[in-house]
Amino acid sequence: FETVKNAALIHKQGGGTGYNFSWLRPRGSYVKKSQGIASGPLSFMEQFNTQTEIINQGNRRGANMGILNVDHPDILDFIYSKTLEKKLENFNISVGITDEFMNKVKENGFYPLKIGKKDYSKEVLTKRKLEIFIENIEKSKAEAEVGKKAVPHSLFIKENKVYDRRTNNEIGRVNKGIVELNASKIFDLIANSAWKSGDPGLIFLDKIAKNNPIPFERLEATNPCGEQPLHPYDACNLGSINLEKFVKDKKVNYENLEENIKYIVRFLD
């Protein structure tokens, strides 16, 4: 909630913010400190969305980028959030993908879902853990409104096959006790949702990590429109050039334009 406060201050000044929510606990998992059940990253995104809406009502325009990595157990909820659920109106959203995932798409292969930890390590999602998540949600312990039952988990298992709750389509499998999704089918879901609503986009995590100028700082989110991957609390300074000033007799003075671009980039840096 400290982050929500900081975001409100940035939005108040007309700025925008970007986040990667992949390290939040999956919906239905246990929270050891509070002995409660996690409501998942989408519920936290709703908090940020509401804050942005309040700022927008004050004649300021806030904007957000929300990212969830493709191996997060709540990835289906994220993909569907702006098409079926019509949520997160104040967010652009993108799925964080890896080279390994894209190779699995080409091979029509499977990849494991994983649970992120505080130290940025990950553990694979087992069938038993997913069953516990589903049980906790069914007992109205995860993101349930008062007096109502919680929305069921996005996945369910039947005879070691994994299904999409919303469509009842088979989208994965249980392989040696580990929950795996079919990469091609997930990629198709992303593409279809993007065609319908413009979201989600994709962020290529391995690509930005390879070009990270400060390797000891994690680089896994961007500014709201996705032009620039940024480290935590980095600023994205945007500038513009009036091209009309570089046109004479219906021709562009490229030498003058090139010289000015160098000065402008230096100024923004």
Side-chain angles (χ1 to χ4, degrees):
F1 289 101
E2 181 71 16
T3 306
V4 174
K5 183 194 79 173
N6 292 337
L9 294 172
I10 293 169
H11 292 167
K12 184 180 178 182
Q13 301 301 320
T17 45
Y19 319 89
N20 192 313
F21 293 91
S22 303
W23 302 101
L24 294 178
R25 293 181 182 89
R27 191 163 76 103
S29 58
Y30 286 112
V31 182
K32 289 183 180 179
K33 283 188 177 180
S34 66
Q35 301 297 310
I37 302 300
S39 57
L42 270 293
S43 65
F44 283 90
M45 291 182 72
E46 287 287 355
Q47 296 292 326
F48 285 87
N49 189 74
T50 300
Q51 172 271 123
T52 308
E53 183 64 32
I54 293 169
I55 296 294
N56 288 349
Q57 290 174 358
N59 297 319
R60 293 284 185 176
R61 182 73 181 100
N64 301 291
M65 169 64 78
I67 295 168
L68 196 71
N69 294 351
V70 74
D71 58 1
H72 194 283
D74 293 344
I75 189 61
L76 285 194
D77 289 332
F78 185 77
I79 293 170
Y80 285 125
S81 63
K82 298 193 71 171
T83 50
L84 297 184
E85 271 76 31
K86 306 292 184 184
K87 295 180 178 179
L88 306 176
E89 298 91 344
N90 298 299
F91 268 91
N92 293 321
I93 63 171
S94 289
V95 177
I97 62 173
T98 61
D99 293 343
E100 180 183 2
F101 173 79
M102 291 306 298
N103 288 331
K104 293 295 184 182
V105 172
K106 293 177 183 177
E107 299 166 3
N108 194 30
F110 293 81
Y111 71 97
L113 293 178
K114 297 179 180 179
I115 303 169
K117 296 185 175 182
K118 285 185 177 181
D119 61 358
Y120 293 107
S121 64
K122 290 184 176 183
E123 63 174 293
V124 293
L125 177 66
T126 63
K127 177 183 178 181
R128 182 55 192 145
K129 282 199 173 181
L130 178 56
E131 289 172 342
I132 291 172
F133 295 172
I134 293 170
E135 290 171 7
N136 287 337
I137 292 169
E138 288 176 348
K139 292 175 183 176
S140 300
K141 291 183 178 179
E143 204 189 4
E145 295 181 20
V146 176
K148 294 183 180 180
K149 288 188 175 182
V151 175
H153 197 281
S154 57
L155 303 173
F156 69 91
I157 298 172
K158 186 176 181 181
E159 297 177 351
N160 282 334
K161 294 180 179 179
V162 180
Y163 294 86
D164 179 345
R165 175 184 61 80
R166 293 173 176 83
T167 63
N168 291 324
N169 291 333
E170 181 185 336
I171 58 166
R173 68 185 183 185
V174 176
N175 180 30
K176 298 179 180 178
I178 296 170
V179 178
E180 298 179 339
L181 299 185
N182 182 285
S184 297
K185 292 181 178 180
I186 296 302
F187 192 79
D188 285 344
L189 284 178
I190 293 170
N192 287 329
S193 294
W195 180 78
K196 290 177 181 177
S197 68
D199 281 300
L202 297 175
I203 176 170
F204 296 89
L205 297 170
D206 291 331
K207 183 68 173 178
I208 64 174
K210 183 179 178 181
N211 293 280
N212 185 355
I214 312 175
F216 54 84
E217 285 278 4
R218 299 185 67 83
L219 194 58
E220 55 186 3
T222 71
N223 66 315
C225 293
E227 295 101 338
Q228 185 178 2
L230 297 164
H231 299 100
Y233 289 93
D234 269 357
C236 173
N237 295 316
L238 302 178
S240 60
I241 298 174
N242 185 352
L243 291 176
E244 183 183 9
K245 301 296 184 181
F246 298 89
V247 177
K248 188 175 182 180
D249 298 327
K250 297 183 179 180
K251 292 184 178 181
V252 178
N253 185 336
Y254 285 105
E255 290 184 3
N256 190 17
L257 179 60
E258 181 180 0
E259 182 181 3
N260 277 272
I261 286 174
K262 293 176 181 178
Y263 286 119
I264 292 166
V265 171
R266 177 60 177 163
F267 171 74
L268 291 174
D269 287 344

